[in-house]
Each structure stands twice: as C-alpha cells, then as structure tokens.
Amino acid sequence: MAIGNANGAGLPPGENLRRQFERDVLAGLSTPQKALPCKYLYDETGSKLFEAICDLDDYYLTRTEAAIFNRALNEMASVLGRQAVLIEPGAGNCEKAEPLLAAMKNPRAYYPLDISPEILLEAQQRIQQRLPQLEIAPIFGDFTGDEVWGRLPPSAARQVIFFPGSTIGNFSHEQARELLIRFAGQLNPGDGLLLGADLVKDSVVLERAYHDSNHVTEAFNKNLLSRINSELNGDFNTEAFAHRAFYHSFRQRVEMHLVSLVEQQVSVAGRQFQFAEGETIHTENSHKYTLPGLQELLRETGFSPEKYWTDNNQHYAIYFAQIR
Ligand code: AVI
C-alpha cells in the first residue's frame, strides 16, 4: 500500500514511512520536553514485547478485558443485533473479534483495518475457516487518517465499530474526541460502538502494570532507542537511559519516560542532541477513565452510552454506545 504525502510522492511506501519516522524523531528530540510518538514503539521487536506484556501478571488490562468478554459475550452479541457489520480499527491479529463474531447472530461482514497486511491476511484465513459464511474484507492503512475510511464498503446493515484493548487511552483527550468524531462520521443513527477502556484505580496497581517486575515494559520502552539506532543511524547507549513509569493523578494517566542517567550527547540522522542528567524523553501516555468520564466522552462525540460491562474490581470497562 502506498501512503502518499507531499514530500514523498513516488517513493516506495517503506521509504515514506522511514522519512516520516525521521521527521517525527528529530522534531520530538528538539522540543524542551523531549517526546516521541508512542506509535513508534511497535516495530517487529516492540510488537513482540507488547504481546509479552499482555501475558504479565502485573499487566492486568488484557486478562481483565478478556474475562469481561468471556462472561458477557452472548449479551454483547444480542446488543449488537442480527446481521450487523463489525468494523475494527487497528485489528492486528483479530483475536478479540473472532469470539465476538462467532457469538453474533448472522454477522453480515467483518472489516478489520490495520497497517500490517501480513497479520490481517493470516487472521482473515483463520476466521474464514471458522465462519465460512462471513464476508471478511481486510482494509490496509492507518485508521487515524481519513483515507482508509473512504475505502470501507457502504452498508445498509447496522454497523458497529469495535475498538477494544484500551487503545483509546494512548490518545490525548483532544485526539480521543477527534477519533470518536471520526468513528461517528462513519456511522448512521442506530449504529454502534463497542469500546474497551481502562479505568482510574489505585496508583500502586497502575504503576506496577507499567513498571513490571519482569522488566518487559522496560525493554519495550528502551527498544524505541534501539529502533532509532538501527533505522535512523542513531548512537543511543540504551544502558545510559532508565525506564520510568508513573501515574499522574491530576491528568489521570500513566506516563512512560526514558531518563538520561548522565549528561550526554546523542547523534541521530546526523543531528546532535544534548541530554542533562535526569532529563527525560516522554514516550507514552496511557489515559485512564472514570465511568462518568467515558460517558461524557461518548456524549460529546455524538454517541448515546447504552450499556457497559465491567469486572468486580471496576478496573476495566467495555462500553456499548449508539449513534444518536
Ligand atoms: C496498547 N496500549 C493500550 C498499552 C497501554 O496499556 O497503554 C500500551 C502499553 N504501554 C506500556 N505497556 C502497555
């Protein structure tokens, strides 16, 4: 798939992405609070490390969401209704949609959206074998851009956007609003959204999830520096940076940073960057919501919150909302 932009017309897609990565890294290391977009945490190694994070005892999110799905699958399927079309932005290996599709009553179609064709095509084959009647049409591209949404087939059936995994938490409040408005723009009155979000809770539980005792999140965070070294000719010494994750209770988010352990100079793509001892690169925000906060976000963006499912500890919620 070619991702066109004004500076990269005619370039192979990989080269366009590399140039965008370079621009974002150079810009991010040039601001007073150095910061890098969290989407760059997910190269091949980063994606594997994230999968390992999902299996950690300390990282309660994945298993809590899975337990809610397991318990409420049939109820969710009836809320989604008969012959619905399921659209999943950032579907990855589609493993969360598969049991939902199997529980749904004659789902009409499944449209998974993702930037990685290999993973989507593999998932398509797997789900197609299990549900041979289902129309599955993978759509390749970045769901935060306009272009990919224009390629969704028009549908007279009820459409439901499926957005699990608390991915919404990695967007700022402003970006989350923009994203849900984009989702709403794709839907018609009566269509739905099934959204998974991590909830505000005790800071000890939150900080353990992002500073796990197995040091996998540390490796995930530091891998960004290794990626910059290999793709952008950088010379970060990963040993000279420490992983830091803390809960910012006023902003209701876990922030992930890389802390420079010494005063140092680093070169990236031929440019030099100075680090004071203790200076950080902000690499990710993971926003946590309250149930009223989630309802407000849904209302503000054109949805009417209808029903939610949560675990006994109210650590995590899955919301169903309809377009007004
Ligand atoms: C993908 N996302 C929902 C994860 C989160 O919890 O914010 C990413 C992550 N970062 C560190 N650990 C997991």
Side-chain angles (χ1 to χ4, degrees):
M1 189 206 54
I3 300 174
N5 67 37
N7 305 324
L11 289 170
E15 181 53 18
N16 259 342
L17 292 174
R18 201 201 63 79
R19 288 187 181 199
Q20 186 61 51
F21 181 38
E22 181 175 315
R23 275 195 295 276
D24 288 344
V25 169
L26 296 180
L29 294 179
S30 305
T31 48
Q33 167 62 70
K34 294 177 171 67
L36 297 170
C38 65
K39 64 179 176 184
Y40 294 121
L41 290 163
Y42 301 89
D43 64 349
E44 206 183 323
T45 308
S47 301
K48 286 194 181 125
L49 287 166
F50 178 61
E51 275 180 31
I53 288 173
C54 292
D55 289 336
L56 293 170
D57 283 347
D58 289 335
Y59 193 73
Y60 60 87
L61 285 84
T62 312
R63 69 168 178 281
T64 308
E65 187 189 61
I68 300 170
F69 272 123
N70 276 344
R71 213 190 50 228
L73 210 51
N74 289 331
E75 210 184 323
M76 287 176 186
S78 50
V79 168
L80 302 194
R82 290 192 169 276
Q83 302 197 323
V85 169
L86 197 71
I87 302 165
E88 186 179 5
N93 61 11
C94 310
E95 69 180 3
K96 291 177 185 166
E98 189 178 337
L100 182 62
L101 288 161
M104 281 168 69
K105 298 172 181 63
N106 302 319
R108 176 153 301 173
Y110 174 48
Y111 302 134
L113 275 51
D114 207 283
I115 46 170
S116 170
E118 298 82 21
I119 298 176
L120 271 194
L121 293 170
E122 212 179 290
Q124 178 184 18
Q125 274 195 357
R126 187 189 73 234
I127 301 177
Q128 199 73 81
Q129 270 185 5
R130 180 165 174 194
L131 303 168
Q133 311 298 333
L134 181 68
E135 176 197 332
I136 308 176
I139 298 174
F140 311 122
D142 177 0
F143 69 82
T144 61
D146 284 325
E147 191 262 339
V148 79
W149 293 96
R151 283 189 276 127
L152 273 173
S155 172
R158 184 192 211 191
Q159 303 182 97
V160 176
I161 293 185
F162 181 47
F163 200 50
S166 194
T167 307
I168 193 76
N170 298 127
F171 291 83
S172 70
H173 289 300
E174 196 39 49
Q175 291 167 335
R177 259 191 292 276
E178 280 168 20
L179 186 68
L180 293 198
I181 288 170
R182 190 185 289 278
F183 288 177
Q186 190 63 38
L187 301 173
N188 299 309
D191 285 352
L193 168 68
L194 196 59
L195 175 75
D198 195 23
L199 299 177
V200 167
K201 62 183 64 63
D202 190 301
S203 62
V204 174
V205 177
L206 284 167
E207 289 180 357
R208 212 187 300 124
Y210 292 83
H211 210 138
D212 64 275
S213 49
N214 300 63
H215 305 283
V216 185
T217 314
E218 174 181 344
F220 173 66
N221 199 6
K222 285 191 176 186
N223 176 59
L224 185 50
L225 301 182
S226 308
R227 179 176 182 187
I228 293 172
N229 286 349
S230 63
E231 293 182 32
L232 302 179
N233 196 21
D235 66 355
F236 276 104
N237 171 7
T238 56
E239 300 290 303
F241 286 83
H243 167 67
R244 181 186 289 164
F246 60 90
Y247 183 58
H248 193 306
S249 55
F250 176 67
R251 297 196 169 131
Q252 296 188 334
R253 68 188 192 197
V254 175
E255 293 192 8
M256 224 166 60
H257 291 252
L258 288 160
V259 191
S260 177
L261 295 173
V262 290
E263 187 182 327
Q264 56 184 315
Q265 179 176 293
V266 175
S267 165
V268 176
R271 293 246 317 258
Q272 311 305 316
F273 297 94
Q274 305 297 328
F275 287 84
E277 183 183 336
E279 188 178 354
T280 74
I281 312 175
H282 188 173
T283 50
E284 187 188 61
N285 289 317
S286 190
H287 292 88
K288 308 302 164 190
Y289 284 88
T290 59
L291 290 169
L294 265 180
Q295 286 162 17
E296 193 185 321
L297 173 67
L298 290 163
R299 285 207 187 90
E300 277 173 0
T301 51
F303 290 91
S304 149
E306 300 289 331
K307 189 168 177 49
Y308 68 88
W309 297 267
T310 182
D311 53 300
N312 290 341
N313 297 319
Q314 295 222 334
H315 276 181
Y316 197 94
I318 300 171
Y319 236 105
F320 178 71
Q322 264 180 326
I323 284 285
R324 286 197 293 271

